[in-house]
Amino acid sequence: MTATAVRPAAHAPEADGAVLFGRYAFPPNERGYCGPDRAAELLERVSMRASGAALAEVARGFEGAWPYLELIGESLGRAPLDPVVVRTYWLGGPLLVRCGGRRFVSSLESRFRPRLTRLDFERLATAVTHGATPHHSFHVFGVYPWVGLLRGGHGDAPLEVLDRCRISWGRVVAIDVDDGESVLVETPRLAWDGRRLMLAPPRLEPMRLRRGGLRLARAVEPGDVVSLHWDWICDRLSAADLADLRRSTATELAAVNACTYSAPATVLA
């Protein structure tokens, strides 16, 4: 997908951090992978932009993501659900530089060191020395076991999970005019060459825009650039959003690829 092939939508950024968090958190929550068992409520609140204490409570129930929000917020002097913090966690950007390094290693140590062997924890710390930051892609690529399974020759299933669990981007090509729920998106997918992860050329993929009249993203149209999580469209992306997401994805891929050993062998929340 080249720069001339996309038309990033011009729109005001989401001003409510809890709603923004829910847009990206719902797809794995719907599948039971993370967060509290409140997926239906989460979708409804995000679709209706019904923020408040209840939605914030749901967000705090995401035990994998919430500590990253706390770390980013502490580093930037903002609350965990400040929209700048939430955007930085899901989409990335230059502010992540202020959240990495020793501060990030200390956070990882307090979270994961008691559950890991010395070698396994050193794998996480080494990724940070290679530039890893508290971006969602780091948790997907570095903490989860899927890269290790790929290196162990466990077939294509780990690659599929890695690809769907990261936040990706794509260009809307067509919308199903019959139900308005299915959208065809041109998006780059992950590839594995036996040693490292990389982005492959884009291909057309069907994505979900809504379910039962409820949706995560604001209205989209062909040509819009959108963010993707699992099989859902989460939001429209501005040019700055797209640039930050692409750059942060590349940073986390490079950090994990620089480690010559597998990822931890145990799934960590």
Side-chain angles (χ1 to χ4, degrees):
M1 184 170 60
T2 65
T4 57
V6 300
R7 182 175 62 82
H11 67 280
E14 176 58 62
D16 190 295
V19 171
L20 183 60
F21 178 81
R23 283 187 177 151
Y24 291 92
F26 170 76
N29 185 242
E30 177 189 36
R31 293 169 173 262
Y33 290 154
C34 54
D37 185 19
R38 297 168 67 175
E41 175 190 353
L42 180 58
L43 177 60
E44 182 175 6
R45 288 187 176 277
V46 171
S47 183
M48 305 301 291
R49 300 195 71 256
S51 190
L55 186 55
E57 179 187 354
V58 175
R60 286 192 292 271
F62 282 79
E63 296 179 356
W66 188 256
Y68 290 110
L69 297 180
E70 290 185 314
L71 171 62
I72 296 170
E74 179 183 339
S75 301
L76 302 182
R78 296 172 179 264
L81 286 179
D82 183 289
V84 171
V85 172
V86 175
R87 180 195 179 279
T88 299
Y89 172 66
W90 291 119
L91 300 182
L95 292 177
L96 281 171
V97 174
R98 295 163 54 182
C99 312
R102 184 65 245 174
R103 184 193 298 262
F104 187 26
V105 172
S106 295
S107 176
L108 293 173
E109 186 167 16
S110 66
R111 292 181 66 184
F112 301 131
R113 184 64 182 88
R115 289 181 279 171
L116 295 174
T117 66
R118 179 184 61 82
L119 180 58
D120 281 339
F121 176 73
E122 287 179 356
R123 291 167 180 169
L124 296 182
T126 299
V128 177
T129 67
H130 287 294
T133 66
H135 182 252
H136 176 68
S137 286
F138 168 77
H139 196 72
V140 174
F141 300 149
V143 175
Y144 285 153
W146 307 112
V147 172
L149 292 174
L150 279 174
R151 287 172 172 156
H154 288 267
D156 294 332
L159 182 63
E160 180 72 9
V161 175
L162 284 165
D163 199 22
R164 299 296 181 178
C165 194
R166 72 187 177 98
I167 306 302
S168 188
W169 61 89
R171 178 176 60 86
V172 175
V173 174
I175 300 174
D176 190 319
V177 296
D178 293 326
D179 62 17
E181 295 190 1
S182 302
V183 178
L184 196 62
V185 177
E186 182 184 41
T187 177
R189 308 311 314 194
L190 279 182
W192 172 253
D193 70 356
R195 296 184 304 106
R196 59 193 180 98
L197 288 168
M198 66 195 76
L199 291 179
R203 67 188 188 199
L204 295 178
E205 295 279 353
M207 293 289 167
R208 300 169 66 180
L209 180 61
R210 65 184 68 175
R211 188 185 70 190
L214 301 177
R215 65 189 181 195
L216 301 175
R218 290 163 280 191
V220 302
E221 60 185 64
D224 282 343
V225 176
V226 294
S227 52
L228 311 168
H229 200 185
W230 287 93
D231 57 346
W232 278 84
I233 292 178
C234 297
D235 205 358
R236 290 178 295 164
L237 297 180
S238 68
D241 292 336
L242 176 61
D244 285 345
L245 180 55
R246 295 178 73 159
R247 188 176 300 114
S248 290
T249 299
T251 295
E252 306 310 327
L253 284 173
V256 171
N257 285 334
C259 299
T260 57
Y261 32 75
S262 66
T266 303
V267 176
L268 301 174

